[in-house]
Amino acid sequence: MDSLAIASLASLWDRVFGDQPDPDMWVVIATLVAALAAIVPQGVWRISRNAITIAHEGGHGLIALLTGRQLTGIRLHSDTSGLTVSRGKPHGLGMILTAAAGYTAPPLLGLGGAALLAAGHITLLLWLATALLVAMLVMIRNAYGALTVVLTGGAFLLVSWLAGPQVQAAFAYAVVWFLLVGGVRPAFELQAKRMRGGAGDSDADQLSRLTHVPAGLWLFLFHAVSLCSLIGGGRWLLEV
C-alpha cells in the first residue's frame, strides 16, 4: 500500500472517529425547537412519526437477531404502523426482549446518540445511523417501507459526506433531539388507545400474555425508559 493510500485511510479514520467541535448553544436550542415543531403539531407528527416507526421496528429486528431468533422481514406502513416478523420459540426470554424492544428503541437510540455527541463524535453518529439503515433496508419487505428507509438513509449519507461541520452538527443534534422527545409520545398514544379499549394486540399486551405481568406495568416501563432517556440525554446535549 503506497503512502497516498495510507494517508487517505488515516484521513478517513480521523474524519469518522475523531472529535468534532461542539456547536454553539443556540444551535442546540434551535435543533430542540425544530424537533418539537416536528413532534407536537398533530398534522406534522403524522408524517414525522415514520422516523420513530423505523427506530421502533428496527429495535424489534435487532433484538430478535441478538437473541438468536430468525428475522424474516420488516414492513413499514403509510399510517406509521409497522410489523416485524421473526421465527423462533413463541415464548421465553428472546421473545420477551424482542417484544419489549419496540417502544424502548427510539429513546434508547437517542440516549446513545446523545452520549456520542457529548463526546464530540458527530460524524461517527451519522455513519453509524447510515449503516443501521442500510442493514435494515435488507430486511424491508414492502415498497413503502423501502422508500422510507432509502430516503432517510440518503439524508444521513448526504449530510455525512457533503455537508460542512456546522451543518453536520445541526443535523445530528436535531436527529437526537427528535429521537429523545419523539420517543416519549408513542407510549402516551398507546396509553390513550388502551383507555379507549383499543390496541388489544399492542406490544404491552403481547408482553402481558408472554409474562403474565399486567400490560399496564409494561406501559409504565415504556414511559420510564423514554422519560429517563429524555432527561439523561437532554442533560448531555445541553452541556456543550
Side-chain angles (χ1 to χ4, degrees):
M1 185 178 294
D2 58 34
S3 59
L4 181 60
I6 293 174
S8 297
L9 286 175
S11 176
L12 179 62
W13 178 273
D14 184 64
R15 178 181 178 184
V16 176
F17 293 97
D19 297 344
Q20 288 81 43
D22 293 328
D24 296 332
M25 178 57 73
W26 73 265
V27 175
V28 179
I29 300 300
T31 53
L32 171 59
V33 173
L36 290 171
I39 294 164
V40 175
Q42 184 61 30
V44 180
W45 177 241
R46 291 193 187 100
I47 299 172
S48 63
R49 197 183 193 279
N50 282 285
I52 295 296
T53 303
I54 291 174
H56 180 115
E57 300 302 330
H60 282 312
L62 178 61
I63 298 303
L65 290 173
L66 292 178
T67 56
R69 299 180 62 81
Q70 181 183 355
L71 181 61
T72 58
I74 299 173
R75 290 178 175 269
L76 305 172
H77 304 130
S78 58
D79 63 354
T80 72
S81 65
L83 177 66
T84 299
V85 179
S86 62
R87 293 177 181 173
K89 291 192 301 182
H91 51 78
L93 182 61
M95 187 63 204
I96 293 170
L97 293 175
T98 298
Y103 280 92
T104 56
L108 288 177
L109 285 172
L111 183 63
L116 286 174
L117 293 182
H121 296 306
I122 295 171
T123 303
L124 178 60
L125 182 147
L126 297 176
W127 279 51
L128 285 175
T130 304
L132 288 173
L133 288 166
V134 170
M136 184 176 180
L137 181 61
V138 176
M139 301 308 303
I140 296 293
R141 295 294 181 264
N142 67 322
Y144 180 83
L147 177 63
T148 303
V149 174
V150 166
L151 290 176
T152 305
F156 276 91
L157 187 61
L158 287 173
V159 171
S160 61
W161 272 104
L162 302 178
Q166 293 301 316
V167 174
Q168 285 192 8
F171 182 79
Y173 272 78
V175 167
V176 172
W177 276 125
F178 179 81
L179 288 170
L180 289 171
V181 181
V184 173
R185 183 165 179 174
F188 283 100
E189 292 177 333
L190 176 58
Q191 182 177 0
K193 287 181 182 178
R194 296 190 75 257
M195 290 177 65
R196 296 194 298 266
D201 199 36
S202 70
D203 291 355
D205 293 280
Q206 292 182 40
L207 285 162
S208 178
R209 291 192 289 270
L210 286 167
T211 63
H212 306 293
V213 174
L217 289 181
W218 285 106
L219 186 57
F220 175 80
L221 173 67
F222 298 160
H223 283 308
V225 170
S226 61
L227 290 171
C228 289
S229 296
L230 174 59
I231 294 170
R235 289 183 62 183
W236 279 335
L237 293 180
L238 293 170
E239 290 177 355
V240 297

